Amino acid sequence: MKPAFFRPLELFESATSYRLLPFRFHRQDDCVLLTNEVGEFEFVDNAEFSSLVARKLERGDTYNSLKAKHFLSDGDVRVPLELLATKVRTKREFLSGFTRLHIFVVSLRCDHTCPYCQVSRVTQDRNRFDMSVDTANKAIDWVFSSPAPEMKVEFQGGEPTLNWPLVEHIVVAVEARAALETRHIDFVLATNLSALDDRVLAFCREHRIHLSTSLDGPMDLHNANRPRPGRDSYERFKTNLSRARAELGHDQVSALMTTTPASLGRVKEIIDEYVSLSFDSIFLRPISPYGFAKRTGLDHSYGAQTFLAFYREGLEYIIELNRRGVPFIEAYAQIILRKILTPFSVGYVDLQNPAALGTGVVVYNYDGDVYASDEARMLAEMGDKSFRLGGVSDRYEDVMSSPRLQRWAESSCLEAMPGCSECAYLPYCGSDPVQNWATQGDTVGHRPTSEFCARQTGLFEYFFDVLRNGDEFTRKLFLAWASM
Ligand code: SF4
């Protein structure tokens, strides 16, 4: 006789008065962390966990808390499942409206020669590496093919100010079209600030363009990490930061840093530099495995554990600063804490499940190629166009409904990925098929040898340890960051 595909129903029926709802768990030294589909979490001790799964947990505080968070149900099971479904929709709200972030690579040219540059910038040949007006107009049609009522248009490079007339053209055209279609568009200019002049500043003020820039630390470190002719990238940064803040408003300029081997051991100095320049946050980022970072071997210059030690020292210093009355935030911690501590959707495209490829972000390259993410075009500059969606002359509808895009979405659902599907940190994590492809040779990847997974696991362990064992000040600070 053929064996039954499913085990008998009786085996799943409860002998007690409650049913277990779906959850994952992670054993720690003296307790077990439970998480469910919507990111609710609970710590239980080992004895409670054994009783819970044996469906013998006595009524009491733990029982009530687990019931309130939908880990178990002792009534009509449809009610908590419907509530969970509503919470899932809220958490995945970033999927509604489809593509919200549209990145224009208006030029690959740059005046800096950063050794960790992920985009393989070039220093010359305006004709070959600048986006044309015709390409930009077709890309604008793509932007408005997305049904999202609110979108962000971001200018990337190279250094986008080196092709400034095209940025102006795109902003004016996008604003006109947005007004006709009653859509809201935010603009972001990713710039090293070195070529900021009065024309750029006046236009950014008039059109409320936010500046996103890079600061790697004190002068010697910034100049070493971000060289340019004249060896004055820090001086230019500082001068133009003041001008930009004066013209656009203090909060209209944000910065992020990249951790190179030269940064290791200097995290407090780097944070002090941000504080002394009146930034209210820092984003402590590792090197990405693309472009020159890959070619020069910088992407392998330190491992996940080294970065975690650097990050943790930095975060603990930031907590100390807050304790001393200096309000300051670490941006990646804030993203993760929002995922852990709030019921809301977090629209950070680099940590989404499923990955934001095409559905969350589209990149229009200077040459008219369209890519599924910023990392996808970085990979293309290295000669690998595996994640090219098409070209600006293609029909948006054809590309966005293509089997390839659907396959990437399917293969980036953590619930279906080996290693992730049973991970307790899944509700707060994300996947990146492009990085898996670039570092491990396939889109699904291999979690036990993944640097990304090692980093994420270390970060989640740290945050949950603080949430359980940290002092009251730190827990309140984390809650405040998550609520901002
Ligand atoms: S990448 Fe690692 S930490 Fe993230 S869900 Fe997968 S297994 Fe968990």
PDB file of all heavy atoms in Angstrom, residues 414 419-420 423 425-426 429-430 447 452-453 456-457 460, ligand 1:
ATOM      1  N   LEU A 414      12.161  34.650   2.335  1.00  0.00           N
ATOM      2  CA  LEU A 414      12.921  33.961   3.382  1.00  0.00           C
ATOM      3  C   LEU A 414      12.210  32.703   3.856  1.00  0.00           C
ATOM      4  O   LEU A 414      12.844  31.725   4.247  1.00  0.00           O
ATOM      5  CB  LEU A 414      13.144  34.897   4.572  1.00  0.00           C
ATOM      6  CG  LEU A 414      14.031  36.116   4.311  1.00  0.00           C
ATOM      7  CD1 LEU A 414      14.125  36.972   5.561  1.00  0.00           C
ATOM      8  CD2 LEU A 414      15.421  35.692   3.872  1.00  0.00           C
ATOM      9  N   GLY A 419      17.706  27.404   5.608  1.00  0.00           N
ATOM     10  CA  GLY A 419      18.447  28.099   6.672  1.00  0.00           C
ATOM     11  C   GLY A 419      17.652  29.251   7.241  1.00  0.00           C
ATOM     12  O   GLY A 419      17.644  29.469   8.444  1.00  0.00           O
ATOM     13  N   CYS A 420      16.966  30.004   6.379  1.00  0.00           N
ATOM     14  CA  CYS A 420      16.172  31.139   6.856  1.00  0.00           C
ATOM     15  C   CYS A 420      14.790  30.684   7.311  1.00  0.00           C
ATOM     16  O   CYS A 420      14.225  31.247   8.254  1.00  0.00           O
ATOM     17  CB  CYS A 420      15.993  32.185   5.756  1.00  0.00           C
ATOM     18  SG  CYS A 420      17.533  32.924   5.202  1.00  0.00           S
ATOM     19  N   CYS A 423      14.605  30.112  10.851  1.00  0.00           N
ATOM     20  CA  CYS A 423      15.376  31.038  11.690  1.00  0.00           C
ATOM     21  C   CYS A 423      14.430  31.955  12.477  1.00  0.00           C
ATOM     22  O   CYS A 423      13.522  32.569  11.911  1.00  0.00           O
ATOM     23  CB  CYS A 423      16.304  31.872  10.811  1.00  0.00           C
ATOM     24  SG  CYS A 423      17.175  33.162  11.712  1.00  0.00           S
ATOM     25  N   TYR A 425      15.029  34.765  13.556  1.00  0.00           N
ATOM     26  CA  TYR A 425      15.219  36.179  13.211  1.00  0.00           C
ATOM     27  C   TYR A 425      14.575  36.544  11.874  1.00  0.00           C
ATOM     28  O   TYR A 425      14.676  37.689  11.427  1.00  0.00           O
ATOM     29  CB  TYR A 425      16.715  36.508  13.184  1.00  0.00           C
ATOM     30  CG  TYR A 425      17.413  36.210  14.489  1.00  0.00           C
ATOM     31  CD1 TYR A 425      18.579  35.445  14.536  1.00  0.00           C
ATOM     32  CD2 TYR A 425      16.893  36.682  15.689  1.00  0.00           C
ATOM     33  CE1 TYR A 425      19.200  35.166  15.737  1.00  0.00           C
ATOM     34  CE2 TYR A 425      17.510  36.397  16.902  1.00  0.00           C
ATOM     35  CZ  TYR A 425      18.664  35.635  16.913  1.00  0.00           C
ATOM     36  OH  TYR A 425      19.274  35.354  18.105  1.00  0.00           O
ATOM     37  N   LEU A 426      13.957  35.578  11.211  1.00  0.00           N
ATOM     38  CA  LEU A 426      13.351  35.811   9.888  1.00  0.00           C
ATOM     39  C   LEU A 426      12.436  37.040   9.828  1.00  0.00           C
ATOM     40  O   LEU A 426      12.519  37.818   8.881  1.00  0.00           O
ATOM     41  CB  LEU A 426      12.598  34.549   9.444  1.00  0.00           C
ATOM     42  CG  LEU A 426      11.880  34.604   8.100  1.00  0.00           C
ATOM     43  CD1 LEU A 426      11.840  33.213   7.461  1.00  0.00           C
ATOM     44  CD2 LEU A 426      10.453  35.147   8.205  1.00  0.00           C
ATOM     45  N   CYS A 429      14.545  40.107   9.146  1.00  0.00           N
ATOM     46  CA  CYS A 429      15.682  40.018   8.234  1.00  0.00           C
ATOM     47  C   CYS A 429      15.240  40.300   6.796  1.00  0.00           C
ATOM     48  O   CYS A 429      14.082  40.634   6.541  1.00  0.00           O
ATOM     49  CB  CYS A 429      16.307  38.624   8.350  1.00  0.00           C
ATOM     50  SG  CYS A 429      18.049  38.582   7.864  1.00  0.00           S
ATOM     51  N   GLY A 430      16.159  40.214   5.882  1.00  0.00           N
ATOM     52  CA  GLY A 430      15.847  40.432   4.471  1.00  0.00           C
ATOM     53  C   GLY A 430      16.750  39.552   3.631  1.00  0.00           C
ATOM     54  O   GLY A 430      17.663  38.905   4.147  1.00  0.00           O
ATOM     55  N   ARG A 447      23.461  29.785   3.744  1.00  0.00           N
ATOM     56  CA  ARG A 447      23.507  30.562   4.989  1.00  0.00           C
ATOM     57  C   ARG A 447      24.720  30.253   5.885  1.00  0.00           C
ATOM     58  O   ARG A 447      25.345  31.184   6.398  1.00  0.00           O
ATOM     59  CB  ARG A 447      22.213  30.352   5.791  1.00  0.00           C
ATOM     60  CG  ARG A 447      21.356  31.613   5.942  1.00  0.00           C
ATOM     61  CD  ARG A 447      21.041  32.295   4.646  1.00  0.00           C
ATOM     62  NE  ARG A 447      20.190  31.460   3.836  1.00  0.00           N
ATOM     63  CZ  ARG A 447      20.119  31.512   2.513  1.00  0.00           C
ATOM     64  NH1 ARG A 447      20.847  32.352   1.839  1.00  0.00           N
ATOM     65  NH2 ARG A 447      19.319  30.718   1.847  1.00  0.00           N
ATOM     66  N   PHE A 452      26.847  37.836   5.131  1.00  0.00           N
ATOM     67  CA  PHE A 452      25.660  38.635   5.436  1.00  0.00           C
ATOM     68  C   PHE A 452      24.891  38.007   6.595  1.00  0.00           C
ATOM     69  O   PHE A 452      24.523  38.684   7.564  1.00  0.00           O
ATOM     70  CB  PHE A 452      24.767  38.747   4.190  1.00  0.00           C
ATOM     71  CG  PHE A 452      23.406  39.323   4.467  1.00  0.00           C
ATOM     72  CD1 PHE A 452      23.239  40.686   4.597  1.00  0.00           C
ATOM     73  CD2 PHE A 452      22.291  38.499   4.611  1.00  0.00           C
ATOM     74  CE1 PHE A 452      21.980  41.227   4.874  1.00  0.00           C
ATOM     75  CE2 PHE A 452      21.039  39.027   4.878  1.00  0.00           C
ATOM     76  CZ  PHE A 452      20.882  40.392   5.003  1.00  0.00           C
ATOM     77  N   CYS A 453      24.663  36.692   6.498  1.00  0.00           N
ATOM     78  CA  CYS A 453      23.907  35.994   7.546  1.00  0.00           C
ATOM     79  C   CYS A 453      24.661  36.051   8.878  1.00  0.00           C
ATOM     80  O   CYS A 453      24.058  36.269   9.930  1.00  0.00           O
ATOM     81  CB  CYS A 453      23.636  34.551   7.134  1.00  0.00           C
ATOM     82  SG  CYS A 453      22.755  33.615   8.394  1.00  0.00           S
ATOM     83  N   GLN A 456      24.140  39.499  10.265  1.00  0.00           N
ATOM     84  CA  GLN A 456      22.765  39.698  10.729  1.00  0.00           C
ATOM     85  C   GLN A 456      22.507  38.929  12.018  1.00  0.00           C
ATOM     86  O   GLN A 456      21.912  39.449  12.956  1.00  0.00           O
ATOM     87  CB  GLN A 456      21.771  39.254   9.641  1.00  0.00           C
ATOM     88  CG  GLN A 456      21.714  40.152   8.426  1.00  0.00           C
ATOM     89  CD  GLN A 456      21.325  41.568   8.768  1.00  0.00           C
ATOM     90  OE1 GLN A 456      22.123  42.480   8.654  1.00  0.00           O
ATOM     91  NE2 GLN A 456      20.108  41.772   9.227  1.00  0.00           N
ATOM     92  N   THR A 457      22.952  37.670  12.056  1.00  0.00           N
ATOM     93  CA  THR A 457      22.744  36.856  13.249  1.00  0.00           C
ATOM     94  C   THR A 457      23.386  37.527  14.462  1.00  0.00           C
ATOM     95  O   THR A 457      22.773  37.631  15.535  1.00  0.00           O
ATOM     96  CB  THR A 457      23.339  35.442  13.045  1.00  0.00           C
ATOM     97  OG1 THR A 457      22.720  34.860  11.894  1.00  0.00           O
ATOM     98  CG2 THR A 457      23.104  34.549  14.244  1.00  0.00           C
ATOM     99  N   PHE A 460      21.264  40.562  15.492  1.00  0.00           N
ATOM    100  CA  PHE A 460      20.007  40.188  16.156  1.00  0.00           C
ATOM    101  C   PHE A 460      20.276  39.656  17.563  1.00  0.00           C
ATOM    102  O   PHE A 460      19.554  39.988  18.507  1.00  0.00           O
ATOM    103  CB  PHE A 460      19.245  39.147  15.327  1.00  0.00           C
ATOM    104  CG  PHE A 460      18.704  39.684  14.022  1.00  0.00           C
ATOM    105  CD1 PHE A 460      18.908  39.003  12.833  1.00  0.00           C
ATOM    106  CD2 PHE A 460      17.992  40.876  13.981  1.00  0.00           C
ATOM    107  CE1 PHE A 460      18.411  39.497  11.630  1.00  0.00           C
ATOM    108  CE2 PHE A 460      17.496  41.374  12.780  1.00  0.00           C
ATOM    109  CZ  PHE A 460      17.708  40.682  11.607  1.00  0.00           C
TER     110      PHE A 460
HETATM  111  S1  SF4 B   1      19.918  35.503   6.598  1.00  0.00           S
HETATM  112 FE1  SF4 B   1      20.552  34.463   8.465  1.00  0.00          FE
HETATM  113  S2  SF4 B   1      19.773  35.767  10.137  1.00  0.00           S
HETATM  114 FE2  SF4 B   1      18.641  36.339   8.261  1.00  0.00          FE
HETATM  115  S3  SF4 B   1      16.767  35.054   8.305  1.00  0.00           S
HETATM  116 FE3  SF4 B   1      18.324  33.981   7.090  1.00  0.00          FE
HETATM  117  S4  SF4 B   1      19.300  32.586   8.559  1.00  0.00           S
HETATM  118 FE4  SF4 B   1      18.230  34.174   9.760  1.00  0.00          FE
END
